[in-house]
């Protein structure tokens, strides 16, 4: 039994400090690649089967990357508003955070405030995202 000076047990699935830092860094680096509109760097964070789920439905990896490559989809800003909530279950990690971003799609500007959940799998020692899900955040005070 732990004495009163010990740290409390972390919630199930909470990664150790090194793994937490590695996954949080991956999320930050992926956001930087997206803001850089760099297809090669963006793709490096995605598994081949990656999809994003949004209010418009499901978009697969190749379609998303083609939008970026064509210049139809660009991002000029992406910022994490809340610290990421990271849970690791074996070789799967779930990362949830509130993100704001500014994008242009087909010439129209979009400013988004969203909750994002990314599901990563560890393959050959590297974490790759297999699923991204975005949900618009409720306005402050709602």
């Amino acid at each position: 039994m732990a004495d009163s000076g010990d740290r409390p047990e972390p919630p199930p699935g909470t990664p150790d400090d090194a793994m937490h830092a590695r996954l949080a860094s991956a999320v930050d680096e992926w956001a930087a690649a997206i803001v850089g509109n760099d297809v090669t760097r963006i793709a490096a964070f995605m598994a081949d089967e990656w999809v994003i789920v949004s209010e418009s439905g499901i978009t697969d990896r190749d379609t998303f990357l083609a939008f970026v490559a064509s210049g139809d989809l660009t991002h000029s800003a992406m910022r994490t508003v809340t610290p990421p909530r990271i849970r690791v279950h074996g070789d799967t990690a779930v990362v949830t955070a509130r993100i704001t971003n500014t994008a242009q799609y087909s010439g129209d500007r979009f400013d988004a405030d969203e909750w994002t959940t990314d599901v990563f799998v560890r393959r050959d020692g590297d974490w790759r995202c297999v699923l991204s899900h975005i949900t618009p955040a409720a306005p402050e005070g709602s």
Side-chain angles (χ1 to χ4, degrees), residues 4-5 8 13 19 24 35 38 49 53 58 63-64 89 91 95 111-112 120 132 134:
S4 60
M19 188 176 300
V35 170
D38 185 327
E49 69 272 24
V53 179
I58 298 172
T63 301
F64 182 88
H89 307 280
D91 287 332
V95 180
D111 293 291
F120 289 84
S132 296
I134 57 176

Side-chain angles (χ1 to χ4, degrees), residues 72-77 101-112:
D72 282 343
L73 175 62
T74 62
H75 285 81
S76 59
N101 70 77
T102 301
Q104 287 207 355
Y105 181 69
S106 296
D108 294 325
R109 178 181 165 147
F110 294 91
D111 293 291

Side-chain angles (χ1 to χ4, degrees), residues 9-77:
E9 282 292 315
T14 302
D16 63 35
D17 291 342
M19 188 176 300
H20 185 282
R22 186 172 178 193
L23 284 160
S25 177
V27 171
D28 290 342
E29 291 169 20
W30 194 9
I34 290 172
V35 170
N37 302 297
D38 185 327
V39 173
T40 303
R41 284 179 53 214
I42 294 168
F45 293 95
M46 301 166 153
D48 290 342
E49 69 272 24
W50 177 88
V51 296
I52 187 167
V53 179
S54 68
E55 69 271 1
S56 60
I58 298 172
T59 303
D60 67 31
R61 178 183 192 267
D62 291 342
T63 301
F64 182 88
L65 293 173
F67 286 144
V68 176
S70 71
D72 282 343
L73 175 62
T74 62
H75 285 81
S76 59

